[in-house]
Amino acid sequence: MTENVSNVSKEHAMNIMNVDYSTKIPNNVNLSEDRQVLKALEGWHPGYMNWWGDMGPEGFQQSLVYLRTAYSVDPRGWAKFDYVKMPDYRWGILLAPQEENRVIPFGEHFGEPAWQEVPGEHRAMLRRLIVIQGDTEPASVEQQRHLGKTAPSLYDLRNLFQVNVEEGRHLWAMVYLLQKYFGRDGREEADDLLRRRSGDADSPRMLGAFNEATPDWLSFFMFTYFTDRDGKMQLHSLAQSGFDPLSRTCRFMLTEEAHHMFVGETGISRVVQRTCEAMKAAGISDPSDVARVRALGVVDLPTIQKKLNLHYTLSLDLFGSEVSTNAANAFNAGIKGRFHETQIKDDHRLQNSTYPVLKLVNGEIKRVDEPALTALNMRLRDDYTQDCIKGLLRWNKIISTAGYDFKLTLPNVAFHRQIGEFKDIHATPDGVLIDDATWNKRKGEWLPSTDDGDFIASLMIPVTGVGEFASWISPPKVGIDNKPGDFEYVKIET
Ligand SMILES: [Fe+2]
Ligand SMILES: [Fe+2]
């Protein structure tokens, strides 16, 4: 008897988590009983498919790609893998299960029940944050659309497309929130998300890093490592939101996002690995002997450092100004919390606390205590930097294990900034302030030059043989879905 009861409740729980594929738009939010929202989403769908056709991956739209699709939001087993043509991917609306009796974990409404509807007084701020997050999702697909043509293997090609379809799904996730909770202006914002274009002079994407080019695969790995990780931090903060549907949406997006950063971290690991192997085999003892290393058809470590410098600093800019009243307002309002908010041991209101912020004081970089509320961007950025370091430790381990005395490092936060405290000055990667002339003379030592770009471009020759890899990257240690090394991740000829 007891067993029956628990089976029934287990089944009930599974039903909540399982995804309904009977509607045109797969979902676990009961769209079939939410006719108005279903209609709005179905109305948006053709425009999305047009956008995917115009701005999604170039070529390969008829290829069979071994993709994972979410079928449940149970973290223990939520995806299934199968061959899919990208335009047939089931982009769906998936929210993490509703937590019973969830309360707002920070801000002025600390401890009050989480909102199931948009609180009127915070409507504009909430909409703005959802639109900004939503805008980044299609932007990265646009930035990466040419990369399929130069993939170093079918494995990498598949990973690129997996990231792309999931960013597409993340756009759906934000559009659902806009259409369900923000009425007419939400629908207009949803349309605008399909109208803006990465790098477009008249109608660019909203944030700087999402208008930069992703010209080659090293950039792609850096982007997924550093820029998708900014996404992770933002999603974590929004997952704390008092607006429960946003929290649940972001919590599920984070499970997908983890793969994007995996692609970046392992991608860079494999490039570093291959470079070290090639140097060793050729008897090169100085990794800074760029010409000799490049002659081996691999990317030299100093160039990897320059790419890292570029993508890390572009990503730092995404956190906004170190001191920000917008960030304070969003926190007070209970809209956007801190990284791991519920695990932090403090009052979660921050009315009387301070946080050290790096600032420019009389020409020197100094830590200055600021009210913790206005320093929330700085805090999130610090958490981000801590998170970034893990990858560097792994990459440096590969280098030192190979016997080389070379360390990849994160540049000082004053280096190469376009937003915040350091946007008007120049600094070296070590954080030494320099004048314009010195910067112009030396920036090629620290950021990828045209020559570096040309060299990397020369390596970007597509490799599409099953189980084969380009000269400049090692095979992965493990296949996707535990597939063997000779698995055909993309069937190009169909
Ligand atoms: Fe995303
Ligand atoms: Fe992502």
PDB file of all heavy atoms in Angstrom, residues 391-403:
ATOM      1  N   GLY A 391      40.381  26.635 -15.241  1.00  0.00           N
ATOM      2  CA  GLY A 391      40.828  26.177 -16.563  1.00  0.00           C
ATOM      3  C   GLY A 391      42.314  26.434 -16.759  1.00  0.00           C
ATOM      4  O   GLY A 391      43.040  25.587 -17.280  1.00  0.00           O
ATOM      5  N   LEU A 392      42.748  27.608 -16.301  1.00  0.00           N
ATOM      6  CA  LEU A 392      44.171  27.940 -16.468  1.00  0.00           C
ATOM      7  C   LEU A 392      45.055  26.951 -15.734  1.00  0.00           C
ATOM      8  O   LEU A 392      46.114  26.566 -16.231  1.00  0.00           O
ATOM      9  CB  LEU A 392      44.453  29.372 -15.995  1.00  0.00           C
ATOM     10  CG  LEU A 392      44.146  30.393 -17.096  1.00  0.00           C
ATOM     11  CD1 LEU A 392      42.769  30.963 -16.950  1.00  0.00           C
ATOM     12  CD2 LEU A 392      45.200  31.468 -17.166  1.00  0.00           C
ATOM     13  N   LEU A 393      44.609  26.514 -14.562  1.00  0.00           N
ATOM     14  CA  LEU A 393      45.393  25.521 -13.811  1.00  0.00           C
ATOM     15  C   LEU A 393      45.542  24.242 -14.630  1.00  0.00           C
ATOM     16  O   LEU A 393      46.615  23.651 -14.708  1.00  0.00           O
ATOM     17  CB  LEU A 393      44.738  25.224 -12.456  1.00  0.00           C
ATOM     18  CG  LEU A 393      44.740  26.380 -11.453  1.00  0.00           C
ATOM     19  CD1 LEU A 393      43.965  26.003 -10.197  1.00  0.00           C
ATOM     20  CD2 LEU A 393      46.170  26.795 -11.104  1.00  0.00           C
ATOM     21  N   ARG A 394      44.439  23.820 -15.270  1.00  0.00           N
ATOM     22  CA  ARG A 394      44.494  22.593 -16.083  1.00  0.00           C
ATOM     23  C   ARG A 394      45.422  22.764 -17.280  1.00  0.00           C
ATOM     24  O   ARG A 394      46.214  21.881 -17.600  1.00  0.00           O
ATOM     25  CB  ARG A 394      43.092  22.231 -16.593  1.00  0.00           C
ATOM     26  CG  ARG A 394      42.165  21.908 -15.464  1.00  0.00           C
ATOM     27  CD  ARG A 394      41.199  20.776 -15.798  1.00  0.00           C
ATOM     28  NE  ARG A 394      40.438  20.482 -14.581  1.00  0.00           N
ATOM     29  CZ  ARG A 394      39.231  20.978 -14.335  1.00  0.00           C
ATOM     30  NH1 ARG A 394      38.617  21.708 -15.233  1.00  0.00           N
ATOM     31  NH2 ARG A 394      38.612  20.708 -13.196  1.00  0.00           N
ATOM     32  N   TRP A 395      45.281  23.904 -17.971  1.00  0.00           N
ATOM     33  CA  TRP A 395      46.118  24.122 -19.164  1.00  0.00           C
ATOM     34  C   TRP A 395      47.596  24.194 -18.763  1.00  0.00           C
ATOM     35  O   TRP A 395      48.448  23.627 -19.435  1.00  0.00           O
ATOM     36  CB  TRP A 395      45.692  25.406 -19.891  1.00  0.00           C
ATOM     37  CG  TRP A 395      44.224  25.433 -20.232  1.00  0.00           C
ATOM     38  CD1 TRP A 395      43.433  24.343 -20.508  1.00  0.00           C
ATOM     39  CD2 TRP A 395      43.363  26.575 -20.294  1.00  0.00           C
ATOM     40  NE1 TRP A 395      42.136  24.749 -20.747  1.00  0.00           N
ATOM     41  CE2 TRP A 395      42.061  26.114 -20.630  1.00  0.00           C
ATOM     42  CE3 TRP A 395      43.545  27.949 -20.111  1.00  0.00           C
ATOM     43  CZ2 TRP A 395      40.961  26.971 -20.775  1.00  0.00           C
ATOM     44  CZ3 TRP A 395      42.453  28.799 -20.268  1.00  0.00           C
ATOM     45  CH2 TRP A 395      41.176  28.317 -20.591  1.00  0.00           C
ATOM     46  N   ASN A 396      47.867  24.863 -17.656  1.00  0.00           N
ATOM     47  CA  ASN A 396      49.271  24.995 -17.229  1.00  0.00           C
ATOM     48  C   ASN A 396      49.848  23.658 -16.785  1.00  0.00           C
ATOM     49  O   ASN A 396      51.037  23.409 -16.920  1.00  0.00           O
ATOM     50  CB  ASN A 396      49.389  26.049 -16.126  1.00  0.00           C
ATOM     51  CG  ASN A 396      49.282  27.459 -16.697  1.00  0.00           C
ATOM     52  OD1 ASN A 396      49.640  27.684 -17.857  1.00  0.00           O
ATOM     53  ND2 ASN A 396      48.773  28.394 -15.914  1.00  0.00           N
ATOM     54  N   LYS A 397      48.983  22.799 -16.280  1.00  0.00           N
ATOM     55  CA  LYS A 397      49.418  21.446 -15.901  1.00  0.00           C
ATOM     56  C   LYS A 397      49.897  20.693 -17.147  1.00  0.00           C
ATOM     57  O   LYS A 397      50.906  19.987 -17.100  1.00  0.00           O
ATOM     58  CB  LYS A 397      48.234  20.726 -15.237  1.00  0.00           C
ATOM     59  CG  LYS A 397      48.566  19.379 -14.640  1.00  0.00           C
ATOM     60  CD  LYS A 397      48.922  19.533 -13.173  1.00  0.00           C
ATOM     61  CE  LYS A 397      49.811  18.428 -12.645  1.00  0.00           C
ATOM     62  NZ  LYS A 397      49.284  17.115 -12.604  1.00  0.00           N
ATOM     63  N   ILE A 398      49.164  20.845 -18.225  1.00  0.00           N
ATOM     64  CA  ILE A 398      49.548  20.171 -19.473  1.00  0.00           C
ATOM     65  C   ILE A 398      50.926  20.666 -19.918  1.00  0.00           C
ATOM     66  O   ILE A 398      51.794  19.880 -20.300  1.00  0.00           O
ATOM     67  CB  ILE A 398      48.499  20.444 -20.586  1.00  0.00           C
ATOM     68  CG1 ILE A 398      47.145  19.819 -20.200  1.00  0.00           C
ATOM     69  CG2 ILE A 398      48.961  19.894 -21.938  1.00  0.00           C
ATOM     70  CD1 ILE A 398      45.981  20.218 -21.099  1.00  0.00           C
ATOM     71  N   ILE A 399      51.120  21.984 -19.812  1.00  0.00           N
ATOM     72  CA  ILE A 399      52.389  22.582 -20.247  1.00  0.00           C
ATOM     73  C   ILE A 399      53.546  22.119 -19.354  1.00  0.00           C
ATOM     74  O   ILE A 399      54.601  21.709 -19.841  1.00  0.00           O
ATOM     75  CB  ILE A 399      52.296  24.131 -20.239  1.00  0.00           C
ATOM     76  CG1 ILE A 399      51.194  24.595 -21.213  1.00  0.00           C
ATOM     77  CG2 ILE A 399      53.635  24.759 -20.613  1.00  0.00           C
ATOM     78  CD1 ILE A 399      50.858  26.081 -21.124  1.00  0.00           C
ATOM     79  N   SER A 400      53.321  22.131 -18.037  1.00  0.00           N
ATOM     80  CA  SER A 400      54.423  21.755 -17.146  1.00  0.00           C
ATOM     81  C   SER A 400      54.698  20.254 -17.220  1.00  0.00           C
ATOM     82  O   SER A 400      55.850  19.831 -17.142  1.00  0.00           O
ATOM     83  CB  SER A 400      54.145  22.208 -15.707  1.00  0.00           C
ATOM     84  OG  SER A 400      53.017  21.546 -15.195  1.00  0.00           O
ATOM     85  N   THR A 401      53.656  19.447 -17.404  1.00  0.00           N
ATOM     86  CA  THR A 401      53.860  18.004 -17.539  1.00  0.00           C
ATOM     87  C   THR A 401      54.705  17.697 -18.779  1.00  0.00           C
ATOM     88  O   THR A 401      55.503  16.764 -18.794  1.00  0.00           O
ATOM     89  CB  THR A 401      52.501  17.260 -17.628  1.00  0.00           C
ATOM     90  OG1 THR A 401      51.734  17.603 -16.487  1.00  0.00           O
ATOM     91  CG2 THR A 401      52.673  15.753 -17.680  1.00  0.00           C
ATOM     92  N   ALA A 402      54.515  18.516 -19.811  1.00  0.00           N
ATOM     93  CA  ALA A 402      55.312  18.324 -21.031  1.00  0.00           C
ATOM     94  C   ALA A 402      56.745  18.829 -20.843  1.00  0.00           C
ATOM     95  O   ALA A 402      57.579  18.681 -21.733  1.00  0.00           O
ATOM     96  CB  ALA A 402      54.650  19.043 -22.209  1.00  0.00           C
ATOM     97  N   GLY A 403      57.010  19.449 -19.687  1.00  0.00           N
ATOM     98  CA  GLY A 403      58.377  19.875 -19.387  1.00  0.00           C
ATOM     99  C   GLY A 403      58.693  21.301 -19.814  1.00  0.00           C
ATOM    100  O   GLY A 403      59.868  21.669 -19.899  1.00  0.00           O
TER     101      GLY A 403
END
